[in-house]
């Protein structure tokens, strides 16, 4: 199947996925079916309360300075006085905002202009997401890059030295990395930074960042990224290295590798041109899923190390049932998953043209 057809099918298949995610997310955020009576086998009618336990306007109710009129006005502004399906329809209509006139005027980029709405503080959700998503993308992109650059060679190294002292040492280190929860490691790193003061803790830049020169800005940014990147990379290397080691060991014992060796091909060519190429294919699929977690994979570490990423923003919005903010984060994550799967299919096709990508 031509590559452009694969891309087109993937994009079309992503539409129902995004709709399903949005419906499920909205229902979980705003469900409120009141009290339901259910007849039971004993003839009694049991009452079940299907009300959302979190009230998004709870803080307003506790504010003695606000009147009932203020409360009702805010409730109408947020659309909470409408039935659930009407609220979802209004949200979806704002999201799918198209401007056909932009096409006629040649403004292609203005054709689709989704409106993500306002949060409870009347701040623009798209602006907030853009501010925080960039920090999270930078953090996780560095983590994925370093993890793959370190873990794959280590996995190959361990597989080629199976049961050696080096292999056992890497196995032990990997076990520690997989067993240690990342938020605990982040806590320990945070305490170490506070005690030593060697690195800045929290934030992504210093207060005087705008007054620094180019290289000083780069150094300041790197200093703030060292701790979260190191914590997340350490945990990621452990699992990926073990996966690569296991895949390569399986491939090295396959029939075609033994046949290649029997034909007298050089060992380096057998391993690095044939075996590693086959062993790395399942890892490319994993890369697609890791791409989808770029925006959400570092939630706990962001909170522990006070990194201003999307995780903190989404967590706070979920606690306040801020539907616009949470829904925007959900849709963004689902879109990243679809994009990650598409990216994995393309990379698999490029790495091994014999593989037929399918939807």
């Amino acid at each position: 199947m031509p590559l452009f057809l694969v891309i087109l099918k993937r994009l079309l298949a992503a539409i129902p996925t995004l709709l399903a995610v949005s419906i499920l997310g909205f229902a979980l955020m705003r469900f409120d079916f009141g009290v339901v009576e259910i007849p039971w086998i004993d003839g009694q009618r049991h009452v079940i309360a299907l009300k959302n336990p979190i009230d998004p306007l709870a803080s307003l109710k506790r504010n003695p300075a606000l009147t009932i009129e203020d409360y009702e006005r805010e409730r109408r502004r947020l659309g909470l006085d409408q039935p659930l399906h009407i609220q979802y329809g209004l949200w979806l209509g704002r999201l799918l905002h198209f401007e056909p006139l932009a096409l006629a005027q040649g403004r292609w980029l203005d054709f689709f202009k989704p409106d993500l709405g306002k949060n409870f503080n009347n701040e623009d959700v798209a602006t907030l997401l853009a501010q925080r998503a960039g920090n999270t993308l930078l953090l996780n992109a560095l983590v994925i890059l370093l993890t793959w650059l370190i873990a794959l060679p280590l996995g190959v190294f361990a597989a080629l030295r199976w049961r050696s002292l080096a292999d056992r040492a890497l196995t032990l280190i990997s076990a520690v990395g997989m067993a240690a929860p990342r938020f605990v490691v982040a806590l320990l790193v945070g305490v170490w930074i506070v005690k030593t003061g060697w690195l800045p803790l929290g934030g992504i830049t210093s207060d005087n960042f705008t007054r620094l020169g180019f290289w000083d800005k780069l150094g300041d940014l790197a200093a703030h990224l060292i701790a979260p990147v190191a914590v997340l990379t350490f945990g990621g290397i452990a699992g990926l290295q073990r996966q690569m080691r296991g895949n390569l060991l399986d491939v090295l014992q396959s029939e075609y590798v033994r046949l290649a060796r029997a034909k007298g091909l050089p060992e380096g060519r057998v391993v690095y041109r044939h075996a590693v190429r086959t062993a790395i294919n399942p890892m490319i699929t994993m890369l697609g899923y890791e791409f989808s977690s770029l925006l959400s994979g570092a939630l706990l570490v962001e909170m522990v190390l006070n990194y201003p990423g999307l995780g903190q923003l989404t967590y706070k919005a979920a606690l306040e049932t801020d539907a616009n903010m949470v829904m925007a984060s959900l849709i963004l994550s689902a879109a990243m998953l679809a994009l990650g799967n598409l990216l994995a299919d393309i990379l698999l096709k490029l790495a091994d043209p014999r593989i037929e990508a399918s939807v």
Side-chain angles (χ1 to χ4, degrees):
M1 180 184 296
L3 192 56
F4 78 92
L5 280 181
V6 174
I7 296 174
L8 181 61
K9 283 191 170 185
R10 277 290 187 197
L11 292 178
L12 292 176
I15 294 175
T17 303
L18 293 175
L19 279 175
V21 168
S22 67
I23 292 172
L24 180 62
F26 205 90
L28 288 174
M29 290 295 302
R30 291 282 179 89
F31 80 88
D32 192 349
F33 303 109
V35 177
V36 179
E37 291 188 6
I38 300 177
W40 204 244
I41 54 176
D42 57 2
Q44 301 291 325
R45 297 182 70 82
H46 291 258
V47 177
I48 299 178
L50 296 177
K51 293 180 69 65
N52 196 323
I54 302 175
D55 184 359
L57 299 178
S59 59
L60 297 183
K61 291 178 180 177
R62 292 193 297 268
N63 189 344
L66 297 179
T67 63
I68 295 178
E69 288 74 19
D70 295 330
Y71 172 80
E72 289 298 330
R73 192 182 306 111
E74 183 66 7
R75 190 164 173 264
R76 286 194 297 273
R77 186 185 73 81
L78 297 174
L80 298 176
D81 58 333
Q82 301 289 335
L84 186 63
H85 65 282
I86 298 293
Q87 293 181 39
Y88 177 76
L90 292 173
W91 174 82
L92 189 62
R94 290 194 301 268
L95 181 68
L96 302 178
H97 179 65
F98 295 95
E99 292 189 5
L101 284 178
L103 285 182
Q105 296 171 356
R107 295 181 289 112
W108 302 94
L109 296 178
D110 293 334
F111 174 62
F112 178 49
K113 298 187 73 173
D115 180 8
L116 300 179
K118 306 283 186 181
N119 69 354
F120 282 172
N121 298 321
N122 205 27
E123 298 169 310
D124 187 62
V125 170
T127 304
L128 289 174
L129 279 180
Q131 291 171 351
R132 295 298 190 94
N135 295 343
T136 299
L137 279 173
L138 174 63
L139 171 63
N140 286 283
L142 286 173
V143 169
I144 289 180
L145 180 66
L146 289 176
T147 301
W148 279 70
L149 286 178
I150 297 173
L152 293 190
L154 281 180
V156 174
F157 177 83
L160 297 180
R161 289 159 181 79
W162 186 43
R163 291 184 174 176
S164 67
L165 183 60
D167 179 35
R168 294 181 192 280
L170 284 173
T171 299
L172 177 63
I173 295 172
S174 298
V176 172
M178 288 188 288
R182 292 186 184 182
F183 74 94
V184 174
V185 178
L187 276 174
L188 295 174
V189 170
V191 171
W192 176 79
I193 291 174
V194 171
K195 295 285 186 184
T196 62
W198 290 357
L199 291 173
L201 181 61
I204 190 170
T205 57
S206 301
D207 294 337
N208 61 343
F209 184 77
T210 55
R211 298 192 296 273
L212 299 176
F214 175 77
W215 292 109
D216 289 332
K217 283 183 178 178
L218 202 60
D220 184 67
L221 182 64
H224 283 82
L225 284 169
I226 286 176
V229 168
V231 171
L232 291 170
T233 303
F234 177 65
I237 287 175
L240 201 62
Q241 183 265 335
R242 297 293 296 169
Q243 183 73 37
M244 185 62 198
R245 174 185 177 274
N247 289 352
L248 187 55
L249 283 175
D250 288 341
V251 174
L252 288 174
Q253 295 171 5
S254 60
E255 287 292 334
Y256 84 91
V257 170
R258 285 203 289 266
L259 180 62
R261 284 170 170 161
K263 285 184 174 180
L265 290 179
E267 182 65 13
R269 185 176 177 183
V270 172
V271 171
Y272 295 105
R273 185 167 180 178
H274 298 287
V276 170
R277 184 179 178 185
T278 303
I280 209 170
N281 284 344
M283 314 294 287
I284 294 176
T285 305
M286 291 176 59
L287 178 63
Y289 288 108
E290 288 195 18
F291 186 77
S292 68
S293 66
L294 276 175
L295 294 176
S296 58
L299 169 62
L300 289 176
V301 174
E302 283 184 4
M303 295 184 68
V304 172
L305 295 178
N306 195 27
Y307 184 84
L310 193 63
Q312 280 188 348
L313 192 69
T314 306
Y315 176 73
K316 184 180 177 184
L319 288 181
E320 297 173 347
T321 62
D322 191 334
N324 285 339
M325 180 59 73
V326 174
M327 290 301 296
S329 301
L330 271 178
I331 293 299
L332 200 56
S333 296
M336 292 291 283
L337 176 62
L339 192 60
N341 287 334
L342 174 61
L343 181 65
D345 280 347
I346 294 173
L347 289 176
L348 275 174
K349 189 81 174 174
L350 295 176
D352 193 344
R354 295 169 300 174
I355 295 177
E356 187 68 26
S358 61
V359 178

